[in-house]
Amino acid sequence: MFSEKFVLADRVLKVAPSPTLAVNAKAKALRAAGADILNFSVGEPDMPTPAHVCAAGKKAIEEGRTRYTPAAGIPELREAVCAKLKQEQGWEYKPEEVQISCGGKHGLFNIFQAVLNPGDEVLIPAPYWVSYPPMVQLAGGTPVIVPLQQDRQFDIDPAVVARYATSKTKAIILNSPSNPTGAVYSLAALSEVAKMAYEGGWLVVSDDMYEELYYGEGKVPHILHADPRLKDQTVLSNGVSKAFAMTGWRIGYSIGPREVIRAMNKIQSQSTSNPAAPSQYAALAALTGPQDFPHQMREAFLPRRAFFVESLESIPGVSCVAPMGAFYVFPNFSAYYGKKFKGTVIDGSVALADYFLDEAQVATVPGAAFGADDFVRFSFATSLTTIERGMERIKQALAALQ
């Protein structure tokens, strides 16, 4: 039994566990017990890691590359990140402006630990990825939630950003394409936000993890396209998890001002040290080898995306913005709130997600986890057959509500 002599830190008591991981764990437990669970909660591609990437990881092990590396990551991988940004975006960075971390989430955690002091405010557009507010809180900062609207396709609204900004604003987080909405911020809106950030001296944290999964033409609009002057105020966060189906390899990378990266390296050297060496060599193969895998993944996702949106829009009372990136749909189910099943009232997204799991055996993530209780997130990183079966179950479950 836990002794009363030991008191947990206040910062931990303020933070909830990741709801997406919790739902996924519950779905796996039910499936292990024999239930036919269709899991739409997990945020990872359903394709295997490319063979040449796996081969590079195996080769690293066979060649004994299993020792400590520099805390910031192997030089070759940091150089590859710089080459990628130069080739794809025309942005010039040096290896000392790059940190390799144990996944993109770890890199974001390092960023906030490096730059935030108590009282610093961070603007977080909502719906947001579930981990942003807790990471800000754990670094002593204050999350300031900036609501985005469904009728604007969840585009960032400069007027709303301005309304929530204060003299305490230290940073703003941008995630485009977005988890959970799949929204992509317009260049026009980003230009106005960029002006505010530049004049206010805010740090821009640009989470670009889904940049390769964009369903529009050309490149994803980016705040550094909108205003290149922000380069010295921007930290880019990315990784190989989504683009190369390497979620379990745990390699992310951050790129930004040398002073910020140097501070992040201090933190990493005193916490995790370097990311796993074989994983770094696998990531190196991903960034420097054939680049057709992300395109193949986009092509595979397109029919799933189309079917999901069409099916959801066909349900009475449900609306869904077609995602322009990532692999999620974020439909609005609020028309069903207040309805009942066997005496239990569906009073929000948590209750609805529980109902879907218990009665329809479909695992989703409640929108409340993303700061948007009217919605529920589904991942379409699964087969079209599974999506078809899942949507039929969802329709039946909603029809059963009184």
Side-chain angles (χ1 to χ4, degrees), residues 112 116 119-128 132-133 136 141-148 156-175 185 192-194 196-197 200-206:
F112 297 126
L116 295 181
D120 288 341
E121 295 179 350
V122 180
L123 300 176
I124 305 176
Y128 48 72
Y132 293 147
V136 169
T142 301
V144 176
I145 308 306
V146 180
L148 306 181
I156 194 164
D157 189 335
V160 178
V161 173
R163 192 156 68 240
Y164 283 85
T166 72
S167 60
K168 296 181 180 179
T169 300
K170 180 72 171 287
I172 183 170
I173 302 174
L174 302 177
N175 178 213
Y185 298 155
E192 294 186 51
V193 173
M196 283 186 276
W202 307 343
L203 181 73
V204 176
V205 178
S206 184

Side-chain angles (χ1 to χ4, degrees), residues 31-51:
R31 183 178 289 170
D36 180 25
I37 301 297
L38 303 180
N39 193 352
F40 297 99
S41 69
V42 66
E44 62 182 348
D46 59 323
M47 296 82 169
T49 304

Side-chain angles (χ1 to χ4, degrees), residues 155 179 341 346:
D155 193 8
N179 175 8
F341 181 78
I346 304 298

Side-chain angles (χ1 to χ4, degrees), residues 23-211:
V23 171
N24 190 43
K26 182 177 179 181
K28 286 183 176 179
L30 289 171
R31 183 178 289 170
D36 180 25
I37 301 297
L38 303 180
N39 193 352
F40 297 99
S41 69
V42 66
E44 62 182 348
D46 59 323
M47 296 82 169
T49 304
H52 73 280
V53 174
C54 293
K58 292 176 184 176
K59 183 180 179 182
I61 295 171
E62 291 166 355
E63 293 181 348
R65 298 180 181 181
T66 57
R67 306 293 185 177
Y68 292 130
T69 76
I74 59 174
E76 306 97 301
L77 184 52
R78 286 180 280 148
E79 290 167 0
V81 170
C82 294
K84 168 183 165 65
L85 292 171
K86 173 64 175 176
Q87 179 180 353
E88 297 180 0
Q89 302 286 4
W91 300 334
E92 296 275 2
Y93 287 96
K94 297 179 180 179
E96 55 265 33
E97 296 171 311
V98 179
Q99 180 190 76
I100 311 301
S101 55
C102 304
K105 181 183 287 189
H106 180 213
L108 287 163
F109 186 89
N110 286 342
I111 293 168
F112 297 126
Q113 291 291 324
V115 303
L116 295 181
N117 288 309
D120 288 341
E121 295 179 350
V122 180
L123 300 176
I124 305 176
Y128 48 72
W129 180 47
V130 296
S131 293
Y132 293 147
M135 285 193 289
V136 169
Q137 290 175 317
L138 286 170
T142 301
V144 176
I145 308 306
V146 180
L148 306 181
Q149 300 303 315
Q150 182 181 6
D151 59 9
R152 285 176 49 91
Q153 311 297 300
F154 295 114
D155 193 8
I156 194 164
D157 189 335
V160 178
V161 173
R163 192 156 68 240
Y164 283 85
T166 72
S167 60
K168 296 181 180 179
T169 300
K170 180 72 171 287
I172 183 170
I173 302 174
L174 302 177
N175 178 213
S176 175
S178 160
N179 175 8
T181 65
V184 171
Y185 298 155
S186 68
L187 191 61
L190 285 171
S191 296
E192 294 186 51
V193 173
K195 183 179 179 181
M196 283 186 276
Y198 185 76
E199 294 177 351
W202 307 343
L203 181 73
V204 176
V205 178
S206 184
D207 184 351
D208 302 334
M209 185 61 74
Y210 294 92
E211 65 169 353

